[in-house]
Amino acid sequence: MKQILAKTAIFAIAGAISATAALPTAKQVQANMGMGFNIGNSMEVPNNPTAWGNPFPTQALLDSVKAAGFNTVRIPCAWDSHTSGGKVTETWLDSVKTVVDYAMRAGLYTILNIHHEGEGGWFQTNIGTSVNSTVDNKMKTYWTQIANKFKNYNERLIFAGANEPGPNVDPWTAQHVSTLMHYYQTFIDAVRATGGNNETRTLIIQGLNTDIDKSVANAPVSTFPKDKVTGYLMFEVHYYDPYQYTLMTSEQNWGASEPIMPQYYYGNYQKASEPKRNAGYNAWAGTIDSKLASITHPQEQFAKMKTNYVDKGYPVIVGEFGANVRSPELSGSDLNLHKQGRVQWHKDVVSAAKQYGLTPILWDMGNESNSGYDNMAYIRRQSSPVGKVLETDVINAMRSVYNLGNYVNTGVTHVEDFITGGGTVPTSSSSTVTPPSSSSAIAPVSSSSGIPPCDAMIPECGWTGISPDVLAGSHVNANLVRDGSTLRSNAAIRLFDLNGNMVRVSSAKIASGHSEMDLRGLRQGVYIARSGSQTLRVQVK
């Protein structure tokens, strides 16, 4: 009888697990993803998401991304540099959850990945001819933690196993491909094992270097890892063609009879007097490849994706694409000609992607300077007003492909029911956020005290996991205040970065009976000050 009861209990548990409603398939999900936007050079920065000049993402930024016409956001993310004892810290998981929640609340399909974490990283350059057990164990450990953190989120949250695997590999062999696919198998198995909505969550695996031709030549779907459910995998490639036009910043010597030069002019906006600066110029042949200077090239490349992957059951995302603004190299009429061609390039890429059923996701680095390096910022992040569309012509050209009309910021409707079965904030409701009349940025919701909400769901922000008033910014009072470069309180003050690390403490009392902290000398970025039960968001510029 005991054995019968035990078996009955086991069957009951198994039935409860399998009773989890299946999420929409990858194909169904992709049908609603539209065009996407990357929050680049932010959460994937090793150790400190603000170290490369971008502030910690806010609800205002994600609302602005949605208002600009994007329906998907990709969040490149670091993990290995936020570990303790071989596991990702809870403070970092909570900080990532904050950004994911911003995106989900804005109504965006949200892709969360493991990025390269600096040059090379722990995974990206470790694709060898055999499996590295250390890398494999990290893949399992990290994705188990990530998946458990988000197991009850709905189908709009998508996990991507990696970023651009294998820059160390040339050429790719069957052994290299087998190693990479083993790591992807570990990723898939780790996520599925956590249960809940992760049993049928859409997962993304990346192509070889996310390169279209290398993937087609060496990674057919027959090499892919196996999933216990059918129809829940996507495939990812990136597109920066031609490289000399989109990214190259200095002359190179690649064995041609003349130096290979950066190219500035594209499509219908080429410069006859400077043929070597036109997109598609071939320094070996001394001629222009007209395909590379038109929509023909992305059409041919994306057609390969449809034939080899989409038509075989694996929807494809173009996880990154974009082109630098060539300033300060160009000015005046030359810069204007370049910008006109650049608008055409973006429209050509998005048009070709949509034509062949791919999801194009724009790469934004946040760099608004005229440094000539990685000058690729479409929505303002590094200066006020955050969320202002910087490249209206480019955004409008992309919007036109989806019949969205020209950009007008009419605000967004927040969606609060993206967690199912979690029993945590947010709840099932929605609210409309309207833009301020003074700019195209969407203002963050502030509390009645006038202090912006804390940016990270970590204890240092006062977050307990059950207190919505903290998230709304009302868990503050006048005892902890900022006066210019000084913080004042009636108790000891502790200052934390957004990873939860304490960076400064002040416990001394001054004559007035208050504690003071000098903010001078801190690195630019966002911090959280705490004094007793009070919290305050502190931005250092």
Side-chain angles (χ1 to χ4, degrees):
M1 177 63 74
K2 288 182 179 179
Q3 288 179 330
I4 294 174
L5 289 174
K7 290 179 179 179
T8 302
I10 291 172
F11 289 139
I13 293 171
I17 293 174
S18 62
T20 302
L23 297 179
T25 64
K27 183 177 180 180
Q28 292 169 327
V29 166
Q30 194 205 27
N32 297 314
M33 289 173 68
M35 62 182 186
F37 180 90
N38 275 274
I39 309 177
N41 282 16
S42 187
M43 301 302 287
E44 82 273 28
V45 181
N47 302 304
N48 179 0
T50 66
W52 291 355
N54 288 312
F56 194 85
T58 63
Q59 187 69 64
L61 174 64
L62 274 303
D63 287 351
S64 295
V65 170
K66 177 68 173 180
F70 298 100
N71 216 36
T72 296
V73 68
R74 180 172 177 260
I75 305 174
C77 199
W79 301 96
D80 196 58
S81 56
H82 299 279
T83 57
S84 177
K87 292 187 175 182
V88 180
T89 65
E90 282 300 315
T91 53
W92 181 244
L93 284 164
D94 285 338
S95 289
V96 174
K97 181 181 184 297
T98 299
V99 182
V100 170
D101 285 359
Y102 288 158
M104 297 289 282
R105 188 171 291 114
L108 293 158
Y109 283 80
T110 305
I111 299 170
L112 182 64
N113 80 352
I114 283 182
H115 216 68
H116 53 72
E117 308 205 51
E119 190 64 35
W122 64 273
F123 177 82
Q124 186 149 301
T125 56
N126 283 292
I127 311 302
T129 55
S130 61
V131 173
N132 181 317
S133 61
T134 299
V135 172
D136 201 40
N137 288 335
K138 285 186 176 183
M139 200 74 163
K140 180 178 180 179
T141 299
Y142 296 167
W143 274 115
T144 298
Q145 285 191 267
I146 299 165
N148 273 317
K149 190 72 175 180
F150 298 101
K151 67 189 298 180
N152 293 315
Y153 282 57
N154 68 20
E155 74 279 2
R156 285 194 292 109
L157 180 61
I158 303 166
F159 296 149
N163 174 47
E164 295 178 343
N168 60 305
V169 180
D170 187 22
W172 282 87
T173 67
Q175 289 75 28
H176 290 107
V177 174
S178 176
T179 297
L180 178 60
M181 296 303 168
H182 177 96
Y183 293 141
Y184 288 153
Q185 188 71 64
T186 299
F187 155 60
I188 293 168
D189 291 346
V191 173
R192 298 291 182 231
T194 61
N197 283 342
N198 289 333
E199 291 184 350
T200 52
R201 184 172 309 286
T202 292
L203 305 179
I204 301 173
I205 60 173
Q206 289 64 41
L208 316 184
N209 305 111
T210 55
D211 181 275
I212 290 174
D213 291 324
K214 291 178 181 178
S215 299
V216 169
N218 300 283
V221 297
S222 60
T223 66
F224 281 12
K226 306 303 178 185
D227 195 358
K228 67 178 184 178
V229 290
T230 301
Y232 289 90
L233 293 183
M234 288 185 182
F235 191 63
E236 178 180 356
V237 292
H238 294 172
Y239 186 85
Y240 291 106
D241 289 352
Y243 169 77
Q244 294 95 314
Y245 174 76
T246 61
L247 296 176
M248 197 170 85
T249 57
S250 60
E251 290 186 7
Q252 300 293 323
N253 183 2
W254 294 338
S257 58
E258 58 181 291
I260 291 87
M261 303 170 69
Q263 297 169 357
Y264 302 148
Y265 309 106
Y266 176 86
N268 298 327
Y269 302 94
Q270 297 200 338
K271 190 174 181 181
S273 60
E274 290 190 76
K276 296 179 182 181
R277 293 293 193 180
N278 289 332
Y281 179 77
N282 186 325
W284 287 265
T287 58
I288 296 286
D289 183 342
S290 59
K291 289 183 178 180
L292 287 172
S294 73
I295 195 173
T296 302
H297 184 66
Q299 284 175 328
E300 291 182 346
Q301 293 298 89
F302 297 162
K304 298 174 186 177
M305 292 292 95
K306 184 177 187 302
T307 300
N308 289 276
Y309 302 104
V310 176
D311 290 348
K312 295 181 179 179
Y314 296 87
V316 173
I317 68 166
V318 183
E320 295 179 16
F321 76 99
N324 280 328
V325 177
R326 300 299 186 164
S327 174
E329 302 99 312
L330 303 177
S331 61
S333 60
D334 286 345
L335 180 58
N336 184 59
L337 186 66
H338 160 71
K339 287 186 173 181
Q340 289 177 292
R342 191 166 164 274
V343 169
Q344 183 182 343
W345 182 88
H346 284 84
K347 185 174 183 179
D348 283 352
V349 174
V350 173
S351 296
K354 187 171 184 293
Q355 178 181 351
Y356 290 98
L358 281 55
T359 298
I361 306 177
L362 186 67
W363 179 252
D364 184 296
M365 307 189 75
N367 187 353
E368 300 170 33
S369 70
N370 287 329
S371 66
Y373 171 72
D374 290 342
N375 191 349
M376 202 182 298
Y378 301 85
I379 295 179
R380 176 163 285 161
R381 285 191 270 162
Q382 296 185 350
S383 59
S384 182
V386 170
K388 176 181 174 59
V389 171
L390 296 170
E391 300 248 28
T392 306
D393 289 344
V394 169
I395 299 299
N396 282 340
M398 294 168 57
R399 286 172 61 95
S400 71
V401 178
Y402 290 87
N403 300 313
L404 297 177
N406 285 341
Y407 167 68
V408 177
N409 188 347
T410 57
V412 299
T413 299
H414 280 172
V415 180
E416 302 288 354
D417 60 352
F418 51 84
I419 298 177
T420 56
T424 58
V425 177
T427 58
S428 266
S429 63
S430 64
S431 58
T432 300
V433 180
T434 55
S437 58
S438 59
S439 74
S440 62
I442 295 181
V445 178
S446 297
S447 67
S448 58
S449 65
I451 300 174
C454 188
D455 271 343
M457 286 184 182
I458 58 178
E460 288 71 34
C461 291
W463 182 63
T464 64
I466 57 172
S467 181
D469 64 323
V470 173
L471 304 182
S474 59
H475 191 66
V476 292
N477 60 48
N479 290 330
L480 177 59
V481 296
R482 178 175 182 175
D483 180 12
S485 62
T486 303
L487 296 180
R488 293 192 175 91
S489 180
N490 59 355
I493 304 171
R494 294 176 297 156
L495 191 70
F496 298 83
D497 64 21
L498 291 176
N499 301 322
N501 303 308
M502 189 166 67
V503 297
R504 190 166 292 186
V505 63
S506 177
S507 57
K509 295 291 186 69
I510 58 175
S512 63
H514 288 76
S515 179
E516 284 192 353
M517 177 180 289
D518 190 345
L519 300 174
R520 289 176 295 184
L522 289 168
R523 184 191 298 268
Q524 175 184 339
V526 176
Y527 299 84
I528 303 302
R530 180 159 188 161
S531 181
S533 63
Q534 304 144 51
T535 59
L536 182 66
R537 179 179 181 273
V538 178
Q539 184 165 5
V540 177
K541 297 183 178 180

